[in-house]
Amino acid sequence: MTVIALVAHDIGHDPAGHPLQVSVGNALMLQLPLYLSALALLLALWSAVAWQWPRRRAIVDAMCVLLCVVIVWLTQLDLGMQRFRGERIALAHLRLYGSGQVINSDWILPLLDMPGALAMLLGLAVGTSVWLLWPWRPGAVVARTPISARIPMLWMGVAVAGQLPGRIAFDHQRVMALSPAESLVREAMITPRVYTAADERAARDDLRQWLDPVGQSRWPSEQAPLWHTPDWSTVPQAGAAAASPPDILLFTVESLRGHDVGWGFAPRPAGQSVTPHLDSLAREAVTFPHWIAGGEPSPRGFITLHTGMWEHGTGFIIANYPELRVDALPQRLRTAGYHTMAIWGGNPSFDNQLTWARRWYDELDFERPGNQLFYFRTRSDREVMDHLMQRVAAHDATKPRQPFFAYVASNGTHTPYTLEDPAPEVDTATAATTRQARYDRVLRNVDAQIGRVIAALRNRPRWRNTVVIVVGDHADRTDEADDRQWTGTPTDALVGTAALIYGPRALVGPPRVNPMTASHVDLLPTVWAWLGDTAAFTTMGRSVFDTANISARAAVSINSRGVRLDRGGYSLLVAREDPSRFRAWRAFTGEQPVPLPLSATPFASDTPRQLLERVRYWSHLVERDRVRP
């Protein structure tokens, strides 16, 4: 029944008609072993207890059957949540179902819109429950076969084997594939930080001071304590786009290394750049060589770029908290009259990006023919840019005066850096033997493909009112020496991704290199300031054109192993749970970091502890859905 429920769910569609899984085969390869592993573990425990206490067999059997019925209903409830609301079941939902709050239009209407799916979920749950309980009807005789030691050992072996496929997946993919029983148990085992009223006020005030050192914002909600009204008085370009909103294209280049682009923090000698087309655009733009990603891998970059928020300190917002109420750049732009489109080279379903993107975008473009069952081949950078130009042309033909926002996530520079585009701009005959050489070749290719798009856009009538932003979702290591003590933490190699912003001078000013510290979370307030949007929001960033306290600007990057703070050209890296384990260095030198004492940096002796405390309090707000009212 579990297999039938999973397959029926994965081939289904949500209320808007979108497929729930882009690649059903890929999803099931993770889901089925993990679901069956959870069931096998239950059977192993049941058979072990029945073997040890044979005289209590009837009680043990009855408890196991009742637990199986509960799991059946939890599974259908979880799959229903994903189908109707794009969320996984959580303890908060179980509390909601036990209250009168569940009877409201937000919950009931999606069910009524899809009676067939509702009937299937309820039918599987009821049918399986009846099948399990039927042998226990009054007057029935339950036949019991003897239990030996081999039975629990066999089921335990199945449970262990079912966990193996999940070990090769990314953490966020595993979170989305766990059975609801295992997911809820894991959630229940986490001991949340308890804040007293005094602790809450202190943490809130500290983070508010971080977000608004000038003290000019208003904070209208204690339920969402970081929700605040922006102050654009120190942003010269504020409101400049309100009367004539620009077209905005955000190119998020997979694993874009600020070390290797011509406008980055370690540019190559003249004539040796592998990004000539983007270098040309950079000479007309504002470049940010000291821009870091909000985290890595890609799901963290997706969230921080879109929402202007930090990541969760230990989990993935995109997978662990898909029900979180947030503002997002495309969502607010739609409110402002924009048409929004998102185009991917990879599979956004497996990263759970589609759950979020379907709420925010008018158009989604990511599939290639033949990938419906298994998503083995991604779209090349050439295909991605071809689709972008087709989408823009279609928009121009139907609504030429409506501004659009395009999120374009390329995939060709993803490890292992295998060239998929036999483009004339790239040497495909010469063997690329080193990791850096392979990266250079795929980077040169995506540069050429974006260059084609820019050349085409220059012929559009709206080019003079077009903004082009180029940034990486994160960076990646190539041939750098690696300090094993800090492997996998957000060092320059993993999160140092330079950015450029091209646009009308009224919005970005004259071409220049801006060496200040910046990160993904600064993009959202930058665009909102252009539009003069003064509605309250929660963001950890500031407009990159804000002139207040430039020397005090800071940026944070979070991943599963550490938290990084950048300020004044220096970086501080703190182990995820241990403020006593840290190191500081001069950032963006293009070389192996040289550890420095805190006294030689802008950081105080207490900064490592403060940094972790701020991230923990932010994570506390995320866990309780207190990001926005």
Side-chain angles (χ1 to χ4, degrees):
M1 287 297 180
T2 297
V3 173
I4 294 173
L6 278 176
V7 173
H9 171 265
D10 285 352
I11 64 175
H13 292 72
D14 65 15
H18 303 296
L20 290 166
Q21 292 289 347
V22 175
S23 45
V24 176
N26 296 70
L28 289 174
M29 281 192 297
L30 268 185
Q31 288 175 332
L32 283 178
L34 289 172
Y35 274 65
L36 295 178
S37 174
L39 293 174
L41 179 61
L42 172 63
L43 291 171
L45 294 174
W46 160 75
S47 56
V49 173
W51 167 54
Q52 287 294 314
W53 288 280
R55 294 184 179 181
R56 302 288 186 267
R57 177 72 180 277
I59 297 175
V60 173
D61 287 354
M63 293 178 62
C64 185
V65 169
L66 290 176
L67 185 56
C68 286
V69 171
V70 170
I71 290 175
V72 165
W73 280 89
L74 272 180
T75 300
Q76 299 308 312
L77 187 60
D78 182 49
L79 297 178
M81 286 290 297
Q82 294 181 55
R83 171 160 294 192
F84 296 117
R85 293 184 60 85
E87 306 171 13
R88 290 221 63 181
I89 189 68
L91 292 177
H93 294 129
L94 296 182
R95 291 190 290 269
L96 175 67
Y97 292 134
S99 72
Q101 298 178 51
V102 73
I103 305 176
N104 62 60
S105 60
D106 289 342
W107 290 83
I108 298 300
L109 288 180
L111 303 181
L112 300 179
D113 287 341
M114 299 186 69
L118 179 61
M120 179 196 70
L121 293 168
L122 289 176
L124 285 171
V126 172
T128 306
S129 300
V130 170
W131 176 71
L132 287 169
L133 295 172
W134 183 250
W136 297 81
R137 67 191 183 278
V141 177
V142 179
R144 294 184 175 89
T145 57
I147 299 292
S148 67
R150 293 181 178 180
I151 302 300
M153 293 177 63
L154 173 64
W155 285 117
M156 186 58 70
V158 174
V160 171
Q163 292 290 317
L164 296 179
R167 299 300 171 186
I168 64 175
F170 292 111
D171 289 344
H172 55 279
Q173 295 170 340
R174 181 181 173 84
V175 167
M176 298 307 298
L178 287 175
S179 69
E182 185 176 354
S183 180
L184 290 172
V185 168
R186 287 169 175 259
E187 183 183 355
M189 291 176 63
I190 297 174
T191 303
R193 173 78 176 271
V194 177
Y195 286 85
T196 65
D199 290 341
E200 170 94 14
R201 285 193 299 271
R204 177 203 66 189
D205 293 345
D206 175 66
L207 207 41
R208 284 179 175 179
Q209 175 67 23
W210 163 279
L211 298 178
D212 181 22
V214 180
Q216 294 180 326
S217 296
R218 291 189 299 107
W219 311 86
S221 172
E222 286 304 315
Q223 168 60 26
L226 303 184
W227 179 262
H228 63 284
T229 55
D231 174 56
W232 306 130
S233 62
T234 54
V235 182
Q237 299 85 356
S244 180
D247 293 338
I248 304 173
L249 294 97
L250 171 58
F251 290 96
T252 305
V253 179
E254 171 67 42
S255 304
L256 184 66
R257 288 165 48 88
H259 184 279
D260 291 319
V261 296
W263 71 92
F265 57 84
R268 304 183 186 190
Q272 297 183 25
S273 173
V274 294
T275 55
H277 298 87
L278 288 174
D279 293 352
S280 176
L281 183 66
R283 287 190 287 272
E284 305 176 62
V286 183
T287 58
F288 300 87
H290 297 166
W291 184 295
I292 62 172
E296 60 84 37
S298 299
R300 290 194 170 102
F302 177 84
I303 286 293
T304 54
L305 273 172
H306 276 83
T307 67
M309 306 184 316
W310 288 346
E311 248 290 6
H312 188 275
T314 57
F316 286 85
I317 288 177
I318 200 168
N320 297 90
Y321 307 99
E323 73 279 4
L324 187 68
R325 292 171 296 166
V326 297
D327 277 321
L329 180 57
Q331 189 177 40
R332 289 281 279 261
L333 289 175
R334 286 172 74 180
T335 303
Y338 273 74
H339 179 78
T340 58
M341 62 182 79
I343 303 172
W344 289 268
N347 179 0
S349 175
F350 217 42
D351 281 347
N352 208 41
Q353 293 182 28
L354 281 185
T355 294
W356 302 79
R358 283 169 174 159
R359 305 169 188 166
W360 300 336
Y361 285 98
D362 298 307
E363 291 185 64
L364 304 175
D365 186 327
F366 53 86
E367 186 61 286
R368 59 175 298 138
N371 275 346
Q372 282 78 13
L373 181 59
F374 290 102
Y375 206 105
F376 283 148
R377 187 184 174 198
T378 60
R379 291 200 306 205
S380 70
D381 291 340
R382 173 176 286 276
E383 290 178 286
V384 170
M385 302 309 159
D386 285 345
H387 276 249
L388 170 61
M389 289 191 286
Q390 291 166 9
R391 293 281 183 172
V392 172
H395 176 73
D396 288 349
T398 56
K399 298 181 180 179
R401 295 186 179 182
Q402 182 186 23
F404 72 82
F405 171 74
Y407 171 76
V408 188
S410 67
N411 193 71
T413 43
H414 197 289
T415 184
Y417 313 135
T418 302
L419 186 66
E420 295 180 345
D421 278 322
E425 296 88 347
V426 180
D427 177 11
T428 59
T430 304
T433 55
T434 67
R435 186 177 173 91
Q436 181 67 54
R438 295 199 306 273
Y439 180 82
D440 286 353
R441 189 155 69 171
V442 294
L443 180 59
R444 183 183 291 275
N445 181 59
V446 73
D447 171 80
Q449 304 309 330
I450 296 178
R452 288 195 302 121
V453 174
I454 300 302
L457 292 175
R458 289 183 186 275
N459 294 321
R460 293 179 70 239
R462 287 180 57 85
W463 172 250
R464 293 183 179 274
N465 196 24
T466 297
V467 170
V468 177
I469 303 166
V470 181
V471 68
D473 56 349
H474 54 82
D476 201 358
R477 290 183 59 249
T478 54
D479 294 341
E480 294 97 339
D482 187 29
D483 184 341
R484 293 297 178 184
Q485 182 181 1
W486 297 95
T487 297
T489 55
T491 57
D492 289 356
L494 288 186
V495 299
T497 176
L500 71 80
I501 302 179
Y502 167 90
R505 290 207 174 190
L507 302 184
V508 305
R512 63 197 183 278
V513 176
N514 192 328
M516 73 178 186
T517 299
S519 77
H520 283 4
V521 298
D522 297 318
L523 179 60
L524 180 143
T526 297
V527 176
W528 287 0
W530 287 337
L531 297 174
D533 189 338
T534 57
F537 64 145
T538 295
T539 179
M540 303 310 203
R542 292 168 55 193
S543 167
V544 294
F545 302 110
D546 192 337
T547 58
N549 290 338
I550 293 178
S551 61
R553 290 189 71 115
V556 169
S557 184
I558 300 170
N559 74 359
S560 299
R561 297 201 59 196
V563 181
R564 167 176 170 157
L565 171 65
D566 276 57
R567 179 183 288 129
Y570 291 84
S571 295
L572 171 68
L573 187 60
V574 186
R576 190 179 74 177
E577 298 291 346
D578 186 0
S580 67
R581 285 192 60 228
F582 63 85
R583 73 169 177 177
W585 72 95
R586 184 79 186 179
F588 306 113
T589 62
E591 302 170 356
Q592 181 73 4
V594 178
L596 297 171
L598 289 182
S599 58
T601 72
F603 310 117
S605 60
D606 196 38
T607 302
R609 183 197 63 81
Q610 280 186 327
L611 178 61
L612 288 190
E613 284 298 320
R614 286 167 179 159
V615 173
R616 285 170 183 161
Y617 179 60
W618 164 249
S619 301
H620 166 82
L621 298 179
V622 169
E623 291 159 7
R624 285 153 182 79
D625 195 11
R626 296 177 58 192
V627 171
R628 62 162 298 161

